[in-house]
Amino acid sequence: MKNIYKKVACLLALGLTLASCDDYLNDVPKGSKSPTTLADYEAFLRDEYTNHRVDITGASQLLNDQYVTLASLASNRLYNALYMWDENADRISMKVSDETMYYSSYAGISTFNLIIENALNTTKATEAEQRVVWAEAKVLRAMNYFNLVNFYADTYVASTAATKLSVPLITSANINAPSKQVTIQELYDFILNDVKEALPYLLKVSQTPLHPNLGAGYAFYSRVYLQMNNYTEALKYADLALAENNKLYDWIGYYNTNKTIIDLPNSYTTTTSPMGYTYVENYTYRHGTYNSLTTENSIPVERAQRFEAGDAKFISRWKLYTVGAETYYRRTLSGAFNFGGITTVEVYLIKAECLARAGQISEALAVLNTVRKTRILPASYQDISTTDKTVALNAIFRTKNNELTNTLIPFADARRLNAEGVYKVSFTKTANGNTYTLKSDSHLWTMPFPQGAVQNPGNGTITQNVAK
């Protein structure tokens, strides 16, 4: 890891007295408290700002799910390269400074490693209680590794996963712990094993929204298996997750309750986001960028056009806005947003895809329409009905992309579909009289590691996964 990351890890190990960096640092500094009880370690699972941040800014910009202002495009070359799909840009040279996605993910992994290493030896707890915290940290560590591998490495393809490199695997909180840039297959095996070991000990009801419960474990397993194109296992765990929580939020009711504010012409007064800690769709909550704790991204006009007519969730979140030479859909919700966790709507749509893949088209559409009935206003709603597998899958993909915009999932799904080669994802837009295209086979779909990580990899080595 980069030197600054080593300092952060050492502060976690010393200043917060979580673990020692070297033998000579084993003594607890005067005035500090060395964690010994399970409660001491469990408290770090509640550190939202350090351990539950999932910043996928680059992916949102590439998909044009996030509006980037003209000023930002002019001042930030990396933003411009991603947002305008510049195939010639050297993104590696543009990543001189730290990148939040990389360093926040590994900071969280360091904490989860610490808990996994120590939870089973803590005091003032039964073994059953210890196992719960240990299991929760296992799931969260696996989630961070899933995010990293689906950002900085190629997507999972069974025939090449054992030969292509992924990201550094670190399994200890010790500052000098070795890291190895393992293959994609090795990392997926590690992720699956973490969840497998955790599942027997996860609680059905979480202590807080930040603690993954049994439903979260099943839901995440389903997400991982879908990314591996294992539709049988993805469907199995989707059903298990929905047996734990199958609630869908009534966005039509939300719109009707707030329509006086939402529909007021030329007004951008915000309403309160229901997608926070107590959102009924949550399995586990994790936020996105720091700004996403209080607001969400505005979106381009072209992106807004891909939502269904009468989508109450869309209408409740964004409103067309013009300032100077720029027109986009401005955010109109404020509060908390579960952009990094897992929700029931994702699992419903995983189930729908798996059923469609198996040729069970009517069953897949029944699941899809169950979701849509809570989103599309009655005046616009019609059941999607078809016997065509491709039509059904494209409808599922459209709804899923709209539901999970500004999360990692549309980016991960697009990479998965492009690798499959049947339902390829590409985009075209016109700006300033020029046409821009993001091709399905573009190298832009894989993000480069930040320079600091490659040049200062800690006790290991890192090889870039892209040329530029």
Side-chain angles (χ1 to χ4, degrees):
M1 291 298 118
K2 195 176 179 182
N3 289 337
I4 189 172
Y5 173 64
K6 295 181 79 172
K7 292 177 182 177
V8 170
C10 196
L11 283 173
L12 283 172
L14 261 180
L16 298 179
T17 64
L18 297 180
S20 61
C21 291
D22 284 302
D23 289 343
Y24 66 87
L25 297 177
N26 284 334
D27 292 335
V28 178
K30 187 175 181 180
S32 297
K33 180 179 182 294
S34 179
T36 56
T37 70
L38 182 65
D40 292 336
Y41 286 96
E42 185 273 333
F44 292 103
L45 292 179
R46 301 169 188 258
D47 184 356
E48 178 182 353
Y49 298 94
T50 303
N51 300 320
H52 296 276
R53 186 177 181 187
V54 184
D55 188 333
I56 50 94
T57 298
S60 290
Q61 290 173 345
L62 186 75
L63 291 174
N64 280 204
D65 279 355
Q66 170 187 341
Y67 181 72
V68 181
T69 65
L70 295 176
S72 293
L73 291 176
S75 63
N76 191 310
R77 292 189 303 143
L78 181 59
Y79 285 11
N80 187 80
L82 294 171
Y83 194 71
M84 303 307 295
W85 307 324
D86 185 355
E87 294 268 349
N88 297 316
D90 184 359
R91 295 175 300 160
I92 295 173
S93 68
M94 298 173 187
K95 287 193 174 184
V96 177
S97 61
D98 297 347
E99 183 167 60
T100 304
M101 174 62 171
Y102 190 87
Y103 291 101
S104 286
S105 295
Y106 276 108
I109 286 169
S110 180
T111 299
F112 304 140
N113 282 339
L114 185 77
I115 295 169
I116 293 165
E117 288 176 312
N118 293 281
L120 301 183
N121 296 313
T122 54
T123 62
K124 296 184 180 180
T126 65
E127 182 181 352
E129 292 168 336
Q130 293 171 339
R131 283 287 180 185
V132 169
V133 175
W134 175 86
E136 291 165 342
K138 280 254 181 183
V139 172
L140 290 169
R141 179 173 71 177
M143 290 178 70
N144 274 24
Y145 275 124
F146 179 88
N147 295 338
L148 286 164
V149 73
N150 281 286
F151 199 81
Y152 294 109
D154 284 352
T155 195
Y156 183 92
V157 176
S159 61
T160 61
T163 58
K164 289 187 175 182
L165 290 175
S166 64
V167 300
L169 178 62
I170 307 172
T171 58
S172 172
N174 191 295
I175 191 65
N176 291 318
S179 68
K180 179 184 179 183
Q181 189 178 4
V182 297
T183 67
I184 294 171
Q185 185 66 58
E186 287 174 316
L187 191 61
Y188 269 84
D189 289 344
F190 180 85
I191 290 168
L192 290 172
N193 188 65
D194 255 3
V195 182
K196 178 182 177 181
E197 291 184 348
L199 282 175
Y201 307 104
L202 294 172
L203 299 176
K204 292 179 73 68
V205 179
S206 303
Q207 300 101 307
T208 77
L210 302 177
H211 292 67
N213 55 24
L214 182 59
Y218 289 145
F220 178 60
Y221 232 2
S222 182
R223 175 190 286 179
V224 176
Y225 276 120
L226 181 71
Q227 200 64 24
M228 299 175 73
N229 303 304
N230 187 334
Y231 307 116
T232 300
E233 290 298 298
L235 177 59
K236 170 185 171 182
Y237 285 102
D239 280 334
L240 287 169
L242 292 171
E244 296 296 321
N245 179 13
N246 65 356
K247 295 183 179 69
L248 288 169
Y249 186 74
D250 180 12
W251 277 96
I252 296 171
Y254 180 89
Y255 167 73
N256 287 332
T257 298
N258 297 280
K259 65 183 301 181
T260 302
I261 298 173
I262 293 169
D263 292 346
L264 189 64
N266 302 314
S267 172
Y268 298 90
T269 301
T270 60
T271 56
T272 302
S273 166
M275 296 184 287
Y277 305 102
T278 59
Y279 194 40
V280 297
E281 296 184 1
N282 287 349
Y283 289 112
T284 189
Y285 177 94
R286 309 187 85 189
H287 66 80
T289 64
Y290 278 137
N291 285 340
S292 294
L293 287 172
T294 55
T295 189
E296 66 174 327
N297 294 321
S298 295
I299 62 175
V301 172
E302 296 84 359
R303 179 64 187 88
Q305 293 169 346
R306 297 204 296 272
F307 284 84
E308 282 194 63
D311 187 329
K313 186 175 181 181
F314 165 76
I315 297 167
S316 299
R317 293 172 70 181
W318 296 286
K319 184 181 288 188
L320 191 64
Y321 178 74
T322 297
V323 54
E326 301 184 67
T327 297
Y328 54 91
Y329 276 77
R330 181 173 168 177
R331 58 206 175 203
T332 56
L333 289 185
S334 62
F337 299 85
N338 188 4
F339 287 146
I342 305 181
T343 56
T344 57
V345 70
E346 177 185 346
V347 178
Y348 270 103
L349 296 170
I350 289 174
K351 178 175 180 175
E353 179 180 346
C354 292
L355 289 171
R357 296 276 189 175
Q360 297 175 259
I361 307 301
S362 61
E363 294 88 345
L365 293 178
V367 175
L368 172 62
N369 288 326
T370 296
V371 171
R372 294 177 62 248
K373 286 173 184 174
T374 65
R375 271 58 176 171
I376 310 302
L377 295 172
S380 301
Y381 182 83
Q382 285 187 332
D383 275 346
I384 293 176
S385 179
T386 183
T387 58
D388 188 295
K389 180 178 179 179
T390 297
V391 173
L393 281 169
N394 283 331
I396 293 165
F397 298 149
R398 178 188 184 185
T399 299
K400 192 178 182 188
N401 287 336
N402 288 339
E403 283 293 324
L404 301 176
T405 185
N406 285 310
T407 75
L408 181 67
I409 302 308
F411 179 72
D413 277 350
R415 287 156 40 95
R416 170 172 63 90
L417 296 173
N418 286 339
E420 180 188 13
V422 180
Y423 308 100
K424 294 181 180 179
V425 178
S426 61
F427 299 104
T428 299
K429 67 180 178 183
T430 301
N432 301 318
N434 298 314
T435 299
Y436 300 87
T437 300
L438 176 62
K439 298 180 292 185
S440 61
D441 61 353
S442 173
H443 67 275
L444 297 174
W445 288 105
T446 298
M447 300 294 170
F449 292 117
Q451 284 188 37
V454 176
Q455 295 169 0
N456 299 279
N459 191 4
T461 59
I462 299 177
T463 301
Q464 275 287 4
N465 288 323
V466 290
K468 59 183 179 180

